[in-house]
């Protein structure tokens, strides 16, 4: 409004001043009598000048006034404004148009000039403001305590602020033009490339990461980089990076982590876990060590109930009481036990203090320490003290400590009181103790103690006697040493009193024992000579140095054995190299050896077998000196063993012959057992051909016939297998077997013989009998022999049923027992004791070896074959065998 009034006033003033100027021009024109055109031109100049100075409105008003003045001045004398001449009218209109147009043009030019001036002023102001802003932002960019980088898409540094360059130890111009990767660690450069690539991929989106930068001097600092990519003036992408120094923060975080790690390690080392408990909210915090102590998964939310669940049953009430008092805000400290899932027990010492939170809630902060090791150590210490007390009491040794300054006992174990005949629970005065020392020994004891105090080094030993009230004398051996204080004087004597009464008495017994020992030595020498044929000794090189041969063994060993090793005396080194290699290893290891048997020759050149045993001996320093030992001539024993082996071999041959003979006797039965399935096979094969030969083959019937053929073939194969097993000649094969299975296999071979002789077989086989270790073929031979004997014993029986019973069971001692009972003619009383002897028989054509071989087989299995006396006709043969586990053990 003010501006409008100002413009209006300016226009009015301009109009007034212009009107005055026009009036002056008019007067001047009238005075000089200028013509119309000159006056109009003068008016037009005034109007245009004022249009340059004033407003358009004032100039337009002056134009109208000029037209009016011209019309008035240059019209006819009537002085009216009416213009009759068209030419004058045209001039006036042209004048008015020219003045108005000129005024308007001048106004436009002036307006454009003013606008240009204003724009120029604004541009000058904007440029100055821009320069000011640039200075301010450059000052901010340069001196802002944040590191700024500007890099292109290749990672080249375009600009860096002074603060950032200085922080890295560079001048800004040293970094501009270099790759930004130069200020990063080699192992981090790929990460930087990836981060810059993500910024360029997402223009305008901010990205933040933490990374280490390398200063010019090689040191590093941690920064948090906030980067954003933008397009430059030429649409070229650049990345702006602001870096915040977080080195101290990082160090603080690392220090905090180290502190937490140290705290966790300290808790682990001290077996102490920390906890917090807010009573109002029920929130509980446990440290990791607390979880480890209670052996819970750290993922489980801790509660007081978890503590109760682990608490030992006997301590649950006390722990619950502590929890109840904690709800009332009372501090607590207590010890209790945990019963762990594996059954082990832990001792826990818990300590907590109540505090008030800002909201007024009660919160406990405390620690739980695993004191199991301490408790165990205390128990061990108490046990050690008890053991020490027991050891002192058992060894009659007491310990004591004498305070040299106060001249009294600083410590005295209970055993010292017992040695002097006092009750350990009663106080004892020094005079009372001295009164028990033998008068002849008291002065000596005091003198030794005085010397120990004065000399201050080494141990001091002395003996004295104690006189007990009942008149008994005890001999005491004392050992003491001095403890020197900081001033170099003896402050304490520490020692022991040992009851050596028994030792004193033992000396006399020792002297008597020495004589007995010499006699014993001679006695053992006699034993050695009796138990062996000769004694020997070798040196460290294992060559014989001494050779003592008893008179009874004269001539057993060849002459000239002194100075020879045992390998050269023996004659079986080449035949048994493994034995001698093992013996040499024993000698090299300097270990004792027993019962080495080797073959040599005697003085007459005859083969001799020797059994020798030896033991290394050493000197006082542990140096190996050689071997000492004994040797015995076992030639007779070896030859007896060889004879026994030959006998066993002959028995095995005889047993095989007997089995073959038995098979010969069973030829008819065996032939029938084989022919029967063979005949069935032929019949079923004919039937199968008939089923297949039909117009429409009956395949199911043919299949059945084939299946029967297979079954009969298996039957025949089993018979042949049993026959081959009995006829086989080989080594004894001891295996784990069931006696009932052996019985069934034997019956299968004699079943036809039983039928031919009209003998009824009845079996009583106990189920689930324990296994035995035996040779199946030999046991089958025994059972078949007993069955065949029973069949023969019933051949003459016609007045009763011929029945044979085979029964298996356990005897009273838990052994497997098998009996074969017949109802035949029985065994005469005179023959019962000889029936098992070799070559004794009651048969006209028998050899008398069947039952003898059976007995040998049973006894070789650790059992016994016998005849059982029975009521009624017939006889019972039975044998017992040990169980498998008895043989193994």
């Amino acid at each position: 409004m003010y501006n409008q009034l100002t413009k209006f006033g300016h226009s009015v003033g301009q109009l007034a001043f212009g009107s005055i100027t026009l009036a002056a021009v008019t007067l001047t024109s009238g005075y000089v009598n200028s013509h119309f055109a000159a006056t109009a031109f003068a008016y037009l100049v005034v109007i245009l000048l004022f249009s340059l100075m004033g407003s358009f409105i004032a100039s337009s008003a002056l134009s109208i006034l000029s037209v009016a003045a011209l019309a008035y001045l240059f019209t006819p004398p009537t002085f009216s404004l009416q213009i009759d001449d068209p030419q004058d009218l045209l001039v006036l209109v042209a004048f008015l148009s020219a003045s108005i147009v000129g005024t308007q043009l001048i106004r436009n030019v002036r307006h454009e000039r003013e606008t240009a001036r204003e724009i120029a002023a604004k541009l000058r102001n904007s440029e100055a403001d821009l320069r000011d802003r640039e200075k301010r932002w450059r000052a901010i960019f340069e001196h802002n305590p944040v590191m700024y980088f500007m890099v292109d898409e290749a990672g080249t540094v375009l600009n860096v602020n002074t603060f950032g360059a200085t922080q890295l130890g560079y001048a800004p111009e040293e970094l501009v033009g270099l790759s930004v990767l130069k200020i990063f660690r080699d192992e981090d450069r790929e990460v930087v490339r990836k981060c810059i690539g993500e910024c360029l991929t997402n223009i305008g989106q901010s990205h933040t990461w933490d990374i280490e930068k390398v200063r010019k001097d090689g040191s590093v600092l941690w920064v948090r980089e906030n980067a954003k990519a933008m397009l430059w003036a030429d649409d070229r992408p650049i990345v702006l990076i602001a870096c915040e120094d977080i080195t101290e923060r990082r160090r603080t975080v690392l220090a905090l982590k180290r502190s937490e790690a140290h705290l966790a390690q300290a808790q682990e080392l001290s077996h102490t876990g920390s906890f917090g408990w807010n009573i109002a909210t029920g929130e509980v915090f446990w440290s990791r060590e607390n979880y480890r102590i209670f052996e819970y998964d750290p993922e489980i939310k801790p509660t007081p109930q978890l503590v109760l669940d682990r608490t030992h049953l006997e301590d649950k009430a006390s722990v619950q009481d502590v929890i109840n008092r904690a709800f009332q805000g009372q501090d607590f400290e207590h010890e209790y036990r945990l019963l762990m899932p594996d059954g082990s027990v832990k001792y826990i010492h818990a300590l907590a203090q109540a505090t008030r939170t800002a909201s007024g809630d009660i919160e406990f902060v405390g620690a739980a320490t695993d004191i199991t090791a301490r408790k165990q150590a205390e128990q061990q210490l108490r046990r050690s003290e008890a053991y020490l007390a027991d050891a002192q009491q058992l060894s009659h040794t007491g310990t004591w400590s004498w305070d040299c300054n106060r001249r009294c006992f600083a410590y005295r174990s209970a055993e010292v009181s017992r040695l002097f005949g006092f009750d350990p629970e009663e106080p004892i005065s020094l005079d009372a103790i001295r009164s028990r020392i033998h008068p002849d020994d008291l002065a000596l004891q005091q003198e030794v103690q005085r010397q120990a105090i004065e000399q201050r080094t080494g141990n001091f030993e002395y003996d004295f006697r104690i006189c007990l009230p009942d008149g008994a004398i005890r001999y005491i051996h004392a050992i003491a040493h001095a403890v020197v204080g900081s001033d170099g004087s003896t402050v304490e004597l520490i020692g022991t009193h040992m009851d050596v009464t028994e030792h004193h008495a033992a000396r006399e017994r020792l002297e008597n024992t020495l004589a007995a020992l010499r006699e014993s030595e001679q006695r053992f020498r006699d034993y050695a000579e009796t138990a062996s044929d000769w004694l020997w000794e070798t040196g460290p090189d294992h060559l014989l140095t001494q050779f003592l041969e008893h008179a009874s063994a004269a001539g057993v060993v060849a002459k000239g054995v002194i100075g020879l090793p045992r390998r050269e005396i023996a004659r079986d080194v080449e035949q048994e190299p493994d034995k001698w290699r093992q013996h040499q290893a024993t000698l090299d290891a300097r270990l004792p050896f027993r019962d080495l048997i080797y073959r040599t020759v005697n003085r007459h050149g005859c083969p001799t077998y020797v059994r020798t045993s030896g033991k290394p001996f050493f000197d006082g320093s542990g140096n190996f000196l050689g071997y000492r030992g004994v040797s015995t001539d076992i030639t007779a024993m070896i030859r007896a063993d060889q004879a026994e082996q030959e006998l066993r071999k002959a028995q095995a041959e005889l047993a095989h012959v007997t089995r073959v003979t038995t098979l010969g006797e069973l030829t008819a039965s065996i032939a029938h057992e084989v022919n029967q399935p063979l005949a069935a096979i032929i019949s079923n094969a004919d039937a199968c051909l008939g089923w297949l030969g039909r117009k429409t083959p009956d395949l199911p019937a043919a299949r059945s016939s084939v299946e029967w053929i297979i079954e009969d073939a298996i039957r025949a194969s089993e018979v042949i297998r049993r026959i081959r097993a009995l006829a086989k000649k080989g080594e004894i094969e001891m295996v784990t077997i069931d006696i009932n299975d052996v019985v069934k296999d034997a019956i299968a071979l004699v079943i036809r013989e039983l039928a031919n002789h009209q003998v009824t077989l009845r079996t009583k086989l106990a189920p689930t009998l324990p296994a035995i270790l035996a040779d199946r073929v030999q046991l089958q031979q025994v059972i078949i022999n007993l069955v065949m004997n029973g069949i023969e014993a019933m051949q003459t029986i016609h007045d009763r049923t011929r029945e044979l019973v085979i029964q298996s069971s356990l005897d009273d001692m838990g052994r497997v027992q098998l009996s074969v009972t017949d109802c035949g003619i029985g065994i005469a009383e005179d023959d019962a004791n000889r029936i098992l002897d070799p070559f004794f028989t009651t048969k006209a054509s028998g050899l008398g070896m069947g039952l003898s071989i059976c007995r040998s087989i049973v006894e070789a299995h650790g059992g016994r074959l016998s005849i059982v006396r029975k009521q009624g006709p017939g006889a019972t043969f039975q044998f017992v065998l040990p169980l498998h586990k008895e043989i193994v053990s």
Side-chain angles (χ1 to χ4, degrees), residues 63-73 81:
S63 298
I64 296 172
L65 288 176
S66 298
V67 171
L70 289 174
Y72 179 78
L73 291 177
L81 295 174

Side-chain angles (χ1 to χ4, degrees), residues 492-766:
E492 191 176 19
L493 291 178
I494 298 177
T496 61
H497 285 162
M498 180 184 296
D499 184 356
V500 294
T501 305
E502 291 295 331
H503 296 173
H504 190 272
R507 290 178 184 175
E508 297 180 358
R509 293 196 297 269
L510 180 60
E511 294 177 356
N512 298 328
T513 304
L514 288 175
L517 182 61
R518 286 190 291 269
E519 181 182 354
S520 176
E521 182 182 359
Q522 182 60 42
R523 183 167 58 252
F524 280 106
R525 181 180 296 274
D526 296 339
Y527 290 159
E529 293 179 356
T530 304
S532 62
D533 292 325
W534 58 88
L535 307 176
W536 54 264
E537 183 175 316
T538 65
D541 53 1
H542 306 300
L543 302 181
L544 279 173
T545 57
Q546 291 188 29
F547 189 82
L548 178 61
E549 190 173 18
H550 309 324
S552 59
V556 173
V557 180
K559 297 179 180 180
V561 295
I562 298 297
L564 296 179
R566 186 172 291 104
R567 294 174 60 92
E568 294 186 12
I569 300 173
R571 294 294 185 270
D572 57 358
V573 176
E574 295 181 357
Q575 291 80 6
E576 300 182 68
D578 292 339
K579 177 182 72 175
W580 287 100
R581 191 179 303 113
Q582 182 178 359
H583 176 65
Q584 186 62 42
T586 302
L587 297 180
D588 294 340
R590 298 174 183 175
L591 299 175
F593 64 89
R594 289 185 60 84
D595 297 336
L596 171 67
I597 298 175
Y598 63 93
R599 179 170 52 83
T600 182
V601 294
N602 60 15
R603 296 178 182 178
H604 307 292
C606 299
T608 302
Y609 291 90
V610 176
R611 179 175 61 206
T612 184
S613 300
K615 182 179 180 182
F617 66 98
F618 306 85
D619 61 11
S621 301
N623 298 317
F624 174 66
L625 298 180
Y627 275 83
R628 293 193 184 107
V630 297
S631 296
T632 303
D633 179 13
I634 59 169
T635 304
M637 185 186 305
I638 292 296
R639 290 174 178 169
D641 289 341
Q642 293 173 348
E644 184 177 356
Q645 291 177 3
E646 292 294 331
L647 177 60
R648 290 177 180 174
K649 183 177 180 181
Q651 289 178 341
E653 292 286 347
L654 184 58
H656 177 256
V657 171
T658 304
R659 288 198 301 272
V660 173
T661 302
T662 302
L663 289 176
E665 296 175 356
L666 297 176
T667 300
S669 298
I670 294 172
H672 182 274
E673 288 295 323
V674 174
N675 288 331
Q676 188 178 23
L678 290 178
I681 289 172
I682 295 171
S683 175
N684 289 323
D686 291 338
C688 180
L689 291 176
W691 297 119
L692 293 175
R694 291 187 176 187
K695 184 177 182 180
T696 302
D698 191 344
L699 295 181
R703 179 184 298 274
S704 298
S705 297
V706 172
E707 290 175 353
W708 293 336
I709 290 171
I710 294 172
E711 291 177 0
D712 292 329
I714 291 173
R715 284 175 54 200
S717 176
E718 275 300 303
V719 173
I720 295 172
R721 181 189 64 80
R722 295 188 184 99
I723 295 170
R724 291 185 63 188
L726 281 178
K728 182 180 67 175
K729 177 181 180 182
E731 299 294 332
I732 296 177
E733 184 180 0
M734 303 294 283
V735 295
T736 303
I737 58 176
D738 185 347
I739 190 64
N740 290 341
D741 294 339
V742 179
V743 171
K744 294 173 183 177
D745 286 345
I747 291 174
L749 291 174
V750 298
I751 189 67
R752 178 54 50 189
E753 198 69 22
L754 292 168
N756 291 339
H757 291 83
Q758 300 178 355
V759 175
T760 302
L761 176 65
R762 186 159 55 92
T763 58
K764 297 180 181 179
L765 304 180

Side-chain angles (χ1 to χ4, degrees), residues 436-475:
R436 296 287 173 91
I437 298 176
H438 196 283
D440 297 340
D441 299 337
L442 182 58
L444 174 63
Q445 183 197 39
Q446 293 174 346
E447 177 63 20
V448 172
Q449 291 181 353
R450 184 187 63 78
Q451 292 178 4
I453 294 173
E454 292 178 354
Q455 295 181 14
R456 299 190 297 274
T457 58
N459 290 334
F460 303 91
E461 299 186 32
Y462 57 95
D463 295 325
F464 64 95
R465 291 166 291 178
I466 295 176
C467 300
L468 298 178
D470 60 0
I473 300 294
R474 282 183 179 168
Y475 292 85

Side-chain angles (χ1 to χ4, degrees), residues 60 104 151 290 304 334 386 419 486 508 521 532 545 598 749 795:
S60 300
Q104 179 65 30
V151 300
N290 226 43
H334 68 126
L419 291 178
S486 58
E508 297 180 358
E521 182 182 359
S532 62
T545 57
Y598 63 93
L749 291 174
Q795 283 184 359

Side-chain angles (χ1 to χ4, degrees), residues 65-327:
L65 288 176
S66 298
V67 171
L70 289 174
Y72 179 78
L73 291 177
F74 294 99
T75 55
T78 58
F79 295 102
S80 64
L81 295 174
Q82 181 176 4
I83 301 174
D84 295 328
D85 189 353
Q87 187 176 2
D88 294 335
L89 179 62
L90 181 61
V91 172
L92 289 174
V93 171
F95 173 79
L96 179 61
S97 299
S99 62
I100 292 174
V101 170
T103 300
Q104 179 65 30
L105 290 175
I106 291 173
R107 175 181 178 276
N108 290 340
V109 171
R110 188 179 62 191
H111 178 70
E112 289 178 359
R113 186 189 307 164
E114 290 177 354
T115 302
R117 190 182 298 113
E118 290 177 358
I119 291 173
K122 288 180 180 180
L123 287 175
R124 287 193 297 274
N125 293 335
S126 297
E127 184 179 359
D129 184 56
L130 183 60
R131 283 195 295 270
D132 291 341
R133 288 185 179 182
E134 183 180 0
K135 290 180 180 179
R136 288 196 299 269
W137 282 111
R138 182 166 292 279
I140 293 173
F141 180 77
E142 291 293 332
H143 303 291
N144 193 323
V146 176
M147 186 186 306
Y148 289 104
F149 276 85
M150 181 186 298
V151 300
D152 61 11
E153 55 186 338
T156 304
V157 178
L158 301 177
N159 200 356
V160 60
N161 65 336
T162 303
F163 176 83
T166 304
Q167 198 172 15
L168 293 173
Y170 295 94
E173 56 271 13
E174 291 183 276
L175 293 175
V176 174
L178 295 177
S179 173
V180 74
L181 299 178
K182 297 293 184 181
I183 59 174
F184 291 97
R185 298 161 64 98
D186 294 342
E187 57 268 25
D188 294 338
R189 291 179 180 178
E190 188 60 34
V191 176
V192 176
R193 289 193 189 95
K194 182 179 179 182
C195 293
I196 293 177
E198 290 180 356
C199 292
L200 293 172
T201 303
N202 303 288
I203 302 294
Q205 184 175 347
S206 296
H207 298 270
T208 303
W209 63 86
D210 293 348
I211 202 167
E212 284 183 294
K213 285 191 173 181
V214 182
R215 293 189 178 96
K216 187 176 182 180
D217 60 2
S219 61
V220 297
L221 73 158
W222 275 93
V223 296
R224 174 164 292 166
E225 298 194 334
N226 193 335
K228 178 190 293 186
M230 58 181 294
L231 298 177
W232 202 237
D234 55 355
D235 290 336
R236 182 165 54 92
I238 62 169
V239 180
L240 301 177
I241 306 173
C243 308
E244 177 188 0
D245 185 0
I246 60 171
T247 303
E248 292 301 323
R249 187 189 314 169
R250 189 81 177 189
R251 289 173 180 170
T252 303
V253 171
L254 292 176
L256 179 60
K257 290 182 178 178
R258 282 197 300 270
S259 177
E260 291 176 350
H262 292 163
L263 177 60
Q265 187 174 11
Q267 288 190 356
E268 184 176 356
L269 292 174
S270 63
H271 303 292
T272 300
S274 57
F275 64 87
W277 179 21
N278 190 306
I279 298 297
T281 63
E283 184 179 4
V284 178
F285 164 79
W286 277 6
S287 69
R288 181 169 294 275
E289 183 63 16
N290 226 43
Y291 279 103
R292 193 198 64 77
I293 291 174
F294 284 87
E295 296 184 12
Y296 281 119
D297 188 347
E299 301 298 327
I300 297 177
K301 184 178 180 182
T303 62
Q305 186 60 40
L306 292 181
V307 178
L308 284 173
D309 292 343
R310 280 283 192 267
T311 302
H312 196 283
L313 184 61
E314 297 177 1
D315 296 341
K316 282 186 183 290
S318 63
V319 173
Q320 184 63 58
D321 182 62
V322 170
I323 294 175
N324 295 338
R325 286 190 282 110
F327 276 111

